[in-house]
């Protein structure tokens, strides 16, 4: 009589072990900010062959797009991608932006949409303060024209804002958009 229970217990433990293994494997496959930054460090763009650079760029973009908004923000704040991006040739920079901007802006709009109106207004007020500090700043002559990448980022941001933001978010963020337009006039 003890034998069927023992077999059942062994099968149950085996099933749970398989499930635990699958869960651990799935967690190890999902990119993290740390794994993206380690990969960027291990695959510098400078000195890489065009095919190696393209493969690394595709992998970095794919992993970056799998991160949550907060995780992407962590990667951005580390500034590791900045140096990598600057080391890329112009065509690769364009490719990287094409691969990452739509997902990044969609995540940002989703995050804004999920904020409470009070939290969103707090976010807008802080961003407005920061932008107003630089409104009258003199822009160096060599920076007066927006480069193609800067324009691409702005265009994608506006497309995402107008298509993905809720009506309440659009109303709350309107003052920020107006200030952004005033600040951008100095760059055109």
């Amino acid at each position: 009589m003890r034998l069927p229970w023992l077999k059942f217990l062994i099968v149950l433990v085996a099933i749970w072990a398989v499930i635990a293994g699958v869960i651990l494997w799935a967690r190890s496959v999902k990119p993290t900010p740390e794994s993206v930054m380690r990969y960027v460090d291990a695959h510098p763009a400078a000195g890489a062959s065009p095919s190696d650079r393209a493969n690394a760029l595709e992998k970095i973009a794919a992993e970056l797009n799998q991160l949550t908004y907060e995780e992407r923000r962590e990667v951005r704040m580390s500034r590791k991608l900045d140096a990598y991006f600057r080391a890329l040739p112009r065509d690769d920079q364009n490719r990287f932006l094409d691969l990452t901007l739509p997902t990044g802006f969609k995540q940002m709009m989703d995050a804004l949409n999920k904020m409470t109106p009070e939290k969103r207004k707090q976010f807008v007020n802080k961003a407005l303060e920061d932008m107003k500090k630089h409104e009258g700043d003199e822009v160096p002559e060599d920076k007066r024209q927006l480069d193609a990448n800067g324009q691409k980022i702005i265009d994608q941001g506006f497309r995402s804002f107008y298509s993905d933001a809720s009506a309440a978010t659009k109303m709350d963020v309107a003052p920020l958009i107006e200030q952004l337009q005033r600040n951008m006039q100095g760059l055109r």
Side-chain angles (χ1 to χ4, degrees):
M1 184 124 172
R2 294 175 81 174
L3 191 56
W5 282 104
L6 184 60
K7 286 181 182 179
F8 176 74
L9 186 60
I10 290 171
V11 169
L12 188 62
V13 167
I15 290 172
W16 278 108
V18 168
I19 290 171
V22 168
I23 289 171
L24 288 173
W25 174 78
R27 286 184 182 161
S28 70
V29 172
K30 184 186 181 313
T32 63
E34 295 79 20
S35 68
V36 171
M37 290 183 275
R38 273 193 311 271
Y39 190 83
V40 168
D41 286 341
H43 297 85
S49 71
S51 64
D52 288 344
R53 198 173 51 242
N55 290 337
L57 184 145
E58 295 280 335
K59 182 168 170 72
I60 292 168
E63 288 189 3
L64 193 61
N65 285 337
Q66 291 180 48
L67 298 177
T68 65
Y69 174 73
E70 291 79 20
E71 291 171 331
R72 280 178 82 119
R73 188 172 184 282
E74 186 178 328
V75 171
R76 258 192 336 271
M77 298 308 276
S78 77
R79 311 298 265 179
K80 292 224 182 216
L81 276 180
D82 293 354
Y84 177 81
F85 184 79
R86 283 191 300 274
L88 292 172
R90 177 72 66 187
D91 290 344
D92 287 347
Q93 287 179 352
N94 287 333
R95 178 77 179 132
F96 187 78
L97 291 175
D98 289 341
L99 292 171
T100 59
L101 282 180
T103 303
F105 277 116
K106 181 165 182 8
Q107 287 178 336
M108 185 171 63
M109 288 305 121
D110 289 345
L112 284 169
N113 288 338
K114 289 177 185 173
M115 285 181 188
T116 63
E118 296 78 25
K119 181 111 173 145
R120 196 168 36 242
K121 287 180 189 209
Q122 233 177 6
F123 169 82
V124 168
N125 287 338
K126 183 178 180 333
L128 275 173
E129 279 179 33
D130 292 343
M131 290 175 78
K132 284 181 180 179
K133 285 180 189 174
H134 302 290
E135 182 179 4
D137 288 358
E138 184 62 30
V139 180
E141 194 62 39
D142 62 337
K143 300 285 184 192
R144 289 200 188 274
Q145 292 293 324
L146 273 179
D147 67 359
N149 288 337
Q151 191 60 52
K152 182 180 280 196
I153 293 168
I154 291 167
D155 292 345
Q156 180 63 48
F158 279 122
R159 264 195 308 276
S160 183
F161 175 73
Y162 288 117
S163 65
D164 296 331
S166 68
T169 298
K170 287 176 184 171
M171 292 298 291
D172 290 343
V173 177
L176 189 60
I177 299 298
E178 291 169 9
Q179 184 64 42
L180 176 64
Q181 289 172 334
R182 282 193 291 274
N183 286 17
M184 295 305 296
Q185 287 174 351
L187 293 176
R188 294 187 191 268

